[in-house]
Amino acid sequence: MNRRHFVAGMAAGVAVTAMPSFGQPGATTKLEIDATKTGPTIPRDFTGLSYESAQLANPEFFAPGNKELIALFRALSPSGNLRLGGGSSEYTTYSDADPVGSPPFEVFGPDTSKTVKHGTVTTALALRNLREFLDATGWSCLYGLNLGQGTKENAAAEAAAAFRILGPRLIAFQIANEPDSFRNRYRPATWGPADYMREWNDFHDTIVATAPDAKFAGPDISNKLPFLTVFANEAPRHKDVILMTAHYYAMGPAGSQGATLDQLAEAVPKQATMHEAGFAAVAQAMKLARLPFRMSEGNSCWNGGQPGVSDTLASALWCADTMLRFAALGWCGVNLHGGGSGFYTPIAGAPSTGFSHRPEYSGIQFGQSFAGANMRPATLTGAGPHVTAYVAENAGRRRVAIINKDNGPVSVELPTRARAKAWKLSGPSLESKEGTMFGEAGVARSSVVSVPGHTGMIYEL
Ligand code: BDP
């Protein structure tokens, strides 16, 4: 049986379809590139991280003095995007006055966002420090405002200050985090997309009255697509809406039976918050609104991450593959959610104890190495569903990424010989929490390459 798997840049979009686990014994796995077509170009700010808004309650976190974190951001991307939002953004208020006393906590991550519900205050000092942090990293910012439990007046005061202080570092405001999850939480059970749009417009108009040049992104939904469609329909009425966004979690909730290492190896795990129909709805929304689309928050497993899965080499391979899969769909960026010391955070730690990077950090580096490149439609024949390939060109250099999430090695015939210089994403074992690396690796010059199990490779042709 010689099944064909569509890979990066195909009009069909998604890299692989659900298939039995292994390639056919004896079958040659072959990569073919369609030189007559080009795919999407991966923007320079494709790579992003996402943090809880509550983190701003400690103005010394996103601050020029947090040198270790600045270095970790810079080592990920010279021009990434920091999104602030998450569940805690519906508990924040803004004050122009500088804070008095010490902050309520040093760090705040997704591991605490569901349990620690005390309201926090974002101050102008936090915004000034954030600006210096962004300047030092070279990153831009997507800034979340509180629709769930805040007032439009407070959102407008915050937006005016953030607009003034963050200056060119600010890309856009997002009004609400996961408004499609407001029902039975901050709003009655009957609250729907039209109600959301009405409230969004009300906040938008109030914000624009104080920050007339502000730009907006949205709807930053969890998974209910009618909220994306209503936003895509509304967006063309506003010149200041520049981006559409939604979240993507591969699995969840943490602790449930489906949140496993095996599932994370699937192209789109059963529990994923978006499947084929969702990807199609995103493409439709992009067309309708004529706007780019970004995964503004997401990670391997919601509810803070699955121990032994979200913090292992498996999460790095998942992340590398997901970044390139979404780039091939024409999405303009991804923001991996994290902060604190939760299981899925790419960077863990605190200023007082120091920071470390988790395996997923190396997965992001793998994806980031394609930033600025133009994807090329290519087809991988004869491989199992846990092997994906993506092709992209940058400044005349053609590169092939092969991500092998299977246990055993896979031999792939390339259209031309690979150069001796390659890059490798690997670790001691799939479950390893330490030792995952992304870096240069010498390979033999050959048109048949062998990618070991649980490894991602980038070849230059
Ligand atoms: C999302 C929230 C984020 C959480 C995350 C999680 O926006 O704040 O941290 O879920 O459950 O829905 O990990």
Short mmCIF file of all heavy atoms in Angstrom, two decimals, residues 52 83 85-88 109-111 113-114 177-178 222 247 249 297 301-305 337 344, ligand 1:
data_model
loop_
_atom_site.label_atom_id
_atom_site.label_comp_id
_atom_site.label_asym_id
_atom_site.label_seq_id
_atom_site.Cartn_x
_atom_site.Cartn_y
_atom_site.Cartn_z
N GLU A 52 0.17 35.02 31.44
CA GLU A 52 -1.03 35.50 32.13
C GLU A 52 -0.91 37.00 32.40
O GLU A 52 0.16 37.49 32.82
CB GLU A 52 -1.18 34.76 33.46
CG GLU A 52 -1.50 33.28 33.32
CD GLU A 52 -2.90 33.01 32.80
OE1 GLU A 52 -3.80 33.82 33.10
OE2 GLU A 52 -3.09 31.99 32.10
N ARG A 83 2.26 37.68 24.03
CA ARG A 83 0.84 37.93 24.22
C ARG A 83 0.55 37.88 25.72
O ARG A 83 0.98 36.97 26.43
CB ARG A 83 0.02 36.86 23.48
CG ARG A 83 -1.48 36.96 23.69
CD ARG A 83 -1.93 36.02 24.79
NE ARG A 83 -3.36 35.95 24.94
CZ ARG A 83 -3.98 35.06 25.70
NH1 ARG A 83 -3.29 34.16 26.35
NH2 ARG A 83 -5.28 35.08 25.82
N GLY A 85 -2.55 37.82 28.48
CA GLY A 85 -3.98 37.55 28.54
C GLY A 85 -4.23 36.35 29.44
O GLY A 85 -3.78 36.31 30.58
N GLY A 86 -4.94 35.36 28.91
CA GLY A 86 -5.24 34.17 29.70
C GLY A 86 -6.38 34.41 30.67
O GLY A 86 -6.90 35.53 30.80
N GLY A 87 -6.76 33.34 31.37
CA GLY A 87 -7.89 33.40 32.30
C GLY A 87 -7.77 34.54 33.31
O GLY A 87 -8.77 35.18 33.67
N SER A 88 -6.55 34.82 33.74
CA SER A 88 -6.38 35.85 34.78
C SER A 88 -6.67 37.25 34.26
O SER A 88 -6.88 38.17 35.06
CB SER A 88 -4.96 35.78 35.36
OG SER A 88 -4.02 36.19 34.39
N GLY A 109 1.61 31.68 36.71
CA GLY A 109 1.57 30.89 35.47
C GLY A 109 0.24 30.21 35.26
O GLY A 109 -0.66 30.31 36.09
N PRO A 110 0.12 29.49 34.16
CA PRO A 110 -1.13 28.80 33.85
C PRO A 110 -1.46 27.72 34.88
O PRO A 110 -2.61 27.29 35.00
CB PRO A 110 -0.86 28.16 32.48
CG PRO A 110 0.60 28.24 32.27
CD PRO A 110 1.12 29.35 33.10
N ASP A 111 -0.44 27.29 35.62
CA ASP A 111 -0.68 26.29 36.66
C ASP A 111 -1.52 26.88 37.79
O ASP A 111 -2.23 26.16 38.49
CB ASP A 111 0.64 25.75 37.20
CG ASP A 111 1.67 26.85 37.46
OD1 ASP A 111 1.63 27.89 36.77
OD2 ASP A 111 2.50 26.67 38.36
N SER A 113 -3.52 29.77 37.23
CA SER A 113 -4.55 30.68 36.73
C SER A 113 -5.97 30.21 37.02
O SER A 113 -6.88 31.01 37.09
CB SER A 113 -4.37 30.92 35.24
OG SER A 113 -4.70 29.76 34.52
N LYS A 114 -6.16 28.89 37.18
CA LYS A 114 -7.52 28.40 37.41
C LYS A 114 -7.87 28.38 38.90
O LYS A 114 -9.03 28.32 39.28
CB LYS A 114 -7.67 26.98 36.85
CG LYS A 114 -7.56 26.92 35.32
CD LYS A 114 -8.93 26.85 34.66
CE LYS A 114 -8.87 27.21 33.20
NZ LYS A 114 -8.17 26.23 32.38
N ASN A 177 -10.50 37.29 26.99
CA ASN A 177 -9.83 36.01 26.82
C ASN A 177 -10.92 34.96 26.77
O ASN A 177 -11.77 34.87 27.67
CB ASN A 177 -8.92 35.74 28.03
CG ASN A 177 -8.32 34.34 28.00
OD1 ASN A 177 -7.42 34.04 27.22
ND2 ASN A 177 -8.83 33.45 28.86
N GLU A 178 -10.94 34.18 25.70
CA GLU A 178 -11.91 33.09 25.53
C GLU A 178 -13.35 33.51 25.86
O GLU A 178 -14.00 32.93 26.73
CB GLU A 178 -11.48 31.87 26.38
CG GLU A 178 -10.08 31.39 26.00
CD GLU A 178 -9.66 30.07 26.65
OE1 GLU A 178 -10.31 29.66 27.63
OE2 GLU A 178 -8.68 29.47 26.20
N SER A 222 -11.57 30.12 22.76
CA SER A 222 -11.09 28.81 23.19
C SER A 222 -11.33 27.80 22.06
O SER A 222 -10.39 27.28 21.47
CB SER A 222 -11.83 28.41 24.47
OG SER A 222 -11.68 27.04 24.71
N HIS A 247 -7.31 30.10 20.21
CA HIS A 247 -6.39 29.26 20.98
C HIS A 247 -6.38 27.84 20.42
O HIS A 247 -7.33 27.43 19.74
CB HIS A 247 -6.81 29.22 22.46
CG HIS A 247 -6.82 30.58 23.08
ND1 HIS A 247 -7.25 30.80 24.37
CD2 HIS A 247 -6.45 31.81 22.59
CE1 HIS A 247 -7.13 32.10 24.65
NE2 HIS A 247 -6.66 32.73 23.59
N TYR A 249 -5.26 24.00 22.01
CA TYR A 249 -4.62 23.05 22.93
C TYR A 249 -4.76 21.67 22.31
O TYR A 249 -5.86 21.27 21.89
CB TYR A 249 -5.28 23.12 24.32
CG TYR A 249 -4.79 24.32 25.10
CD1 TYR A 249 -5.45 25.55 25.01
CD2 TYR A 249 -3.65 24.25 25.89
CE1 TYR A 249 -4.98 26.67 25.69
CE2 TYR A 249 -3.17 25.37 26.58
CZ TYR A 249 -3.85 26.57 26.47
OH TYR A 249 -3.37 27.68 27.14
N GLU A 297 -2.84 31.76 21.80
CA GLU A 297 -2.54 31.02 23.03
C GLU A 297 -2.68 29.54 22.72
O GLU A 297 -3.57 29.15 21.96
CB GLU A 297 -3.52 31.40 24.16
CG GLU A 297 -3.19 30.73 25.49
CD GLU A 297 -4.34 30.80 26.52
OE1 GLU A 297 -4.80 31.90 26.85
OE2 GLU A 297 -4.75 29.70 26.97
N CYS A 301 -1.41 20.67 26.47
CA CYS A 301 -2.52 20.12 27.28
C CYS A 301 -3.02 21.16 28.26
O CYS A 301 -2.27 21.61 29.13
CB CYS A 301 -2.01 18.89 28.03
SG CYS A 301 -3.26 18.10 29.05
N TRP A 302 -4.29 21.54 28.12
CA TRP A 302 -4.81 22.60 29.01
C TRP A 302 -5.03 22.09 30.44
O TRP A 302 -4.96 20.89 30.67
CB TRP A 302 -6.03 23.29 28.45
CG TRP A 302 -7.25 22.45 28.14
CD1 TRP A 302 -7.52 21.80 26.97
CD2 TRP A 302 -8.38 22.24 28.99
NE1 TRP A 302 -8.74 21.19 27.04
CE2 TRP A 302 -9.30 21.44 28.27
CE3 TRP A 302 -8.72 22.64 30.28
CZ2 TRP A 302 -10.53 21.03 28.80
CZ3 TRP A 302 -9.94 22.25 30.82
CH2 TRP A 302 -10.83 21.45 30.08
N ASN A 303 -5.27 23.02 31.30
CA ASN A 303 -5.31 22.84 32.75
C ASN A 303 -3.89 22.68 33.28
O ASN A 303 -3.60 21.80 34.09
CB ASN A 303 -6.16 21.65 33.17
CG ASN A 303 -7.35 22.13 34.00
OD1 ASN A 303 -7.49 23.33 34.26
ND2 ASN A 303 -8.21 21.22 34.42
N GLY A 304 -3.02 23.52 32.75
CA GLY A 304 -1.66 23.60 33.29
C GLY A 304 -0.67 22.59 32.74
O GLY A 304 0.51 22.65 33.07
N GLY A 305 -1.12 21.63 31.94
CA GLY A 305 -0.20 20.65 31.34
C GLY A 305 -0.21 19.31 32.03
O GLY A 305 -0.53 19.19 33.22
N HIS A 337 1.65 29.22 25.40
CA HIS A 337 1.29 29.75 26.71
C HIS A 337 2.22 29.19 27.79
O HIS A 337 2.65 28.04 27.72
CB HIS A 337 -0.15 29.37 27.03
CG HIS A 337 -0.75 30.18 28.15
ND1 HIS A 337 -0.64 31.55 28.22
CD2 HIS A 337 -1.47 29.81 29.25
CE1 HIS A 337 -1.28 31.99 29.31
NE2 HIS A 337 -1.78 30.96 29.94
N TYR A 344 3.58 22.81 31.17
CA TYR A 344 3.81 23.06 29.74
C TYR A 344 4.60 24.33 29.44
O TYR A 344 4.85 24.65 28.29
CB TYR A 344 2.52 23.01 28.93
CG TYR A 344 1.41 24.01 29.26
CD1 TYR A 344 1.62 25.37 29.20
CD2 TYR A 344 0.12 23.55 29.55
CE1 TYR A 344 0.59 26.27 29.44
CE2 TYR A 344 -0.92 24.44 29.80
CZ TYR A 344 -0.67 25.80 29.74
OH TYR A 344 -1.70 26.68 29.99
C1 BDP B 1 -6.91 28.56 29.02
C2 BDP B 1 -6.73 29.88 29.75
C3 BDP B 1 -5.37 29.95 30.39
C4 BDP B 1 -5.11 28.68 31.17
C5 BDP B 1 -5.21 27.47 30.23
C6 BDP B 1 -5.00 26.12 30.95
O1 BDP B 1 -6.90 30.95 28.86
O2 BDP B 1 -5.31 31.06 31.23
O3 BDP B 1 -3.94 28.73 31.82
O4 BDP B 1 -6.50 27.44 29.73
O5 BDP B 1 -5.99 25.52 31.34
O6 BDP B 1 -8.27 28.34 28.82
O7 BDP B 1 -3.87 25.65 31.06
#
